[in-house]
Amino acid sequence: MWAADMVAKVVESLRCAFAEAPDPGALLDEPFTLKELRAVFLAGLVVAQFASGLAAQASASRLMYAMGRDSVLPKAVFGRLSEKFHTPVANLVITGVIGLIALFLDVATSTSFINFGAFTAFTLVNASVVFHYVRRRREGEQLNAVSYVVVPVIGAVICAYLLSQLDSNAITLGVSWLVLGIIVLALITRGFMAAPPEMTATEKATVEAAV
């Protein structure tokens, strides 16, 4: 709603400017000043960031709900849907509160935090392709070494290099968060000896019926 109101106000301001001008067509011939150009970019940035934040909060809350539903996170908190809205309200609130930390960060640091997760994921995805190749080879399956080894290794090296160039605070916090995740995974899998818990068929039917 806030973003829609802002867009509506910008459109209304432009309409009034053209309506009040002696020659509306002349406005198109006047070049933007640096100040006006900055205002346009700033307005676009605010709207884009707001929309991006909403999308991130919605997706993160549902990811946390899926993990809670599967008992990876405490189900009593993360695995519950609101009876009224049929959405993970508690997860939305938690995500929003954590997101408010960004108020105390500059753009470079906050961007580095996001990139840490992205580059770590991309590095591990490339590495997993190589492990997939090794596993399939042991089972006797022939796979293209260029597609399953050379390209993923190059991708992993590039992502790892970009990861090393991030802000030191982002690396410290990201590594701490990664270690915490590994510890949690080790606990719920009994030292990586069991598969992570998954939602049973009965629980799945109950969730689908509720939605």
Side-chain angles (χ1 to χ4, degrees):
M1 290 297 295
W2 181 86
D5 289 341
M6 174 172 286
V7 172
K9 290 179 180 178
V10 172
V11 173
E12 181 64 18
S13 299
L14 291 175
R15 186 190 67 80
C16 293
F18 275 91
E20 296 173 0
D23 181 10
L27 291 176
L28 300 177
D29 298 329
E30 296 181 3
F32 271 166
T33 64
L34 183 59
K35 182 178 180 180
E36 292 168 336
L37 190 60
R38 286 177 176 174
V40 170
F41 275 98
L42 179 60
L45 177 63
V46 170
V47 173
Q49 291 284 11
F50 187 81
S52 176
L54 286 178
Q57 184 177 7
S59 59
S61 64
R62 281 152 180 79
L63 175 61
M64 293 162 62
Y65 166 71
M67 296 176 70
R69 180 194 61 191
D70 295 347
S71 299
V72 176
L73 295 175
K75 184 180 294 186
V77 177
F78 298 96
R80 299 180 60 182
L81 292 176
S82 168
E83 295 182 359
K84 181 178 181 181
F85 301 106
H86 299 290
T87 55
V89 174
N91 296 342
L92 286 168
V93 173
I94 293 172
T95 307
V97 171
I98 294 176
L100 290 176
I101 298 175
L103 293 174
F104 307 99
L105 302 176
D106 55 55
V107 175
T109 303
S110 58
T111 303
S112 295
F113 287 153
I114 298 173
N115 288 337
F116 179 90
F119 289 142
T120 301
F122 295 153
T123 302
L124 295 178
V125 166
N126 282 292
S128 67
V129 174
V130 177
F131 281 105
H132 174 78
Y133 172 82
V134 173
R135 181 178 179 182
R136 291 299 185 183
R137 288 279 296 181
R138 290 177 179 175
E139 295 176 355
E141 185 176 350
Q142 298 297 322
L143 297 175
N144 189 322
V146 175
S147 300
Y148 285 85
V149 178
V150 177
V151 174
V153 167
I154 293 174
V157 170
I158 292 174
C159 290
Y161 170 76
L162 294 174
L163 183 63
S164 67
Q165 301 303 305
L166 295 178
D167 182 82
S168 59
N169 293 327
I171 294 177
T172 301
L173 181 60
V175 170
S176 301
W177 191 255
L178 179 62
V179 171
L180 178 62
I182 294 174
I183 293 174
V184 172
L185 182 62
L187 292 175
I188 63 178
T189 58
R190 300 176 183 177
F192 305 106
M193 299 302 294
E198 296 182 358
M199 183 173 58
T200 63
T202 302
E203 292 173 329
K204 183 177 180 180
T206 302
V207 170
E208 291 176 348
V211 175

